[in-house]
């Protein structure tokens, strides 16, 4: 189907003050034609996207990890695994991603529930590069793939996966 918009899940935005979108580009052009609310980032395309045609999205964003298990919303009873404690920082569902699209039905993005999984992922290939400003005191990293040296960075590659957690 031809698409007029794209829908991304931004789970980090469900934690107040945790996600800051600095800029968004579509095919290298700055765009402000989007709406961000809760876990939904809807991007309105200036030209419809025909089947089989690709485009490039660029998102520059900041994450400010919340303390884990400190929930200020009394209506939100989800267990919190995203965030930090004195022992660990958990980056789960930390990056925006395009949700699956079902022709004739639309985008698949379920509301968060108090238990179980609500996010649906298409399989994807991941390449994540990490660099710490203080390499001498870098934390121990456990990720969805083994790390490999890449200059002053560490690269993690994972093929045909649903998500990438650190």
């Amino acid at each position: 189907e031809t698409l007029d918009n794209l829908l991304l899940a931004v789970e980090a935005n469900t934690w107040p003050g945790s996600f800051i979108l600095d800029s968004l580009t579509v095919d290298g052009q700055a765009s402000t034609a989007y709406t961000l609310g809760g876990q939904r980032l809807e991007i309105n395309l200036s030209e419809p996207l025909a089947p089989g045609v690709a485009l490039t999205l660029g998102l520059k964003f900041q994450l400010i990890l919340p303390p884990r298990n400190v929930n200020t919303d009394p209506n939100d009873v989800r267990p919190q695994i995203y965030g930090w404690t004195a022992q660990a920082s958990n980056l789960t569902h930390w990056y925006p991603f395009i949700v699956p699209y079902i022709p004739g039905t639309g985008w698949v993005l379920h509301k968060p529930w108090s238990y179980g999984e609500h996010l649906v992922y298409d399989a994807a290939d991941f390449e994540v590069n990490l660099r710490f400003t203080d390499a001498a005191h870098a934390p121990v990293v456990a990720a969805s793939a083994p790390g490999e040296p890449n200059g002053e960075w560490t690269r993690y590659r994972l093929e045909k996966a649903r998500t990438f957690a650190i």
Side-chain angles (χ1 to χ4, degrees), residues 105-160:
T105 301
W107 299 106
V108 180
L109 182 56
H110 305 292
K111 292 181 180 180
W113 294 91
S114 58
Y115 58 88
E117 295 293 326
H118 67 279
L119 294 172
V120 179
Y121 296 89
D122 277 331
D125 296 337
F126 292 85
E127 180 176 319
V128 176
N129 290 280
L130 291 180
R131 178 177 56 118
F132 295 97
T133 55
D134 184 359
H137 296 94
V140 174
V141 175
S144 297
E148 57 188 56
N150 184 23
E152 60 183 31
W153 297 78
T154 302
R155 177 181 13 229
Y156 302 85
R157 295 184 213 204
L158 184 62
E159 295 181 356
K160 299 177 182 141

Side-chain angles (χ1 to χ4, degrees), residues 12-123:
N13 198 53
T14 64
W15 306 108
S18 182
F19 181 83
I20 301 165
L21 180 59
D22 293 323
S23 64
L24 178 115
T25 60
V26 179
D27 284 335
Q29 301 296 315
S31 175
T32 58
Y34 64 85
T35 310
L36 175 62
Q39 69 173 349
R40 299 173 63 89
L41 172 58
E42 186 172 350
I43 302 168
N44 297 311
L45 301 174
S46 59
E47 296 181 22
L49 183 64
V53 176
L55 60 76
T56 301
L57 289 179
L59 286 88
K60 182 179 177 185
F61 62 92
Q62 300 176 52
L63 293 177
I64 300 169
L65 293 179
R68 285 187 46 212
N69 299 324
V70 176
N71 195 338
T72 58
D73 183 350
N75 298 316
D76 190 351
V77 295
R78 296 177 295 161
Q80 181 184 348
I81 54 176
Y82 169 78
W84 66 271
T85 66
Q87 293 79 30
S89 294
N90 294 336
L91 294 171
T92 56
H93 312 302
W94 58 278
Y95 56 87
F97 69 93
I98 298 174
V99 300
Y101 185 85
I102 299 174
T105 301
W107 299 106
V108 180
L109 182 56
H110 305 292
K111 292 181 180 180
W113 294 91
S114 58
Y115 58 88
E117 295 293 326
H118 67 279
L119 294 172
V120 179
Y121 296 89
D122 277 331

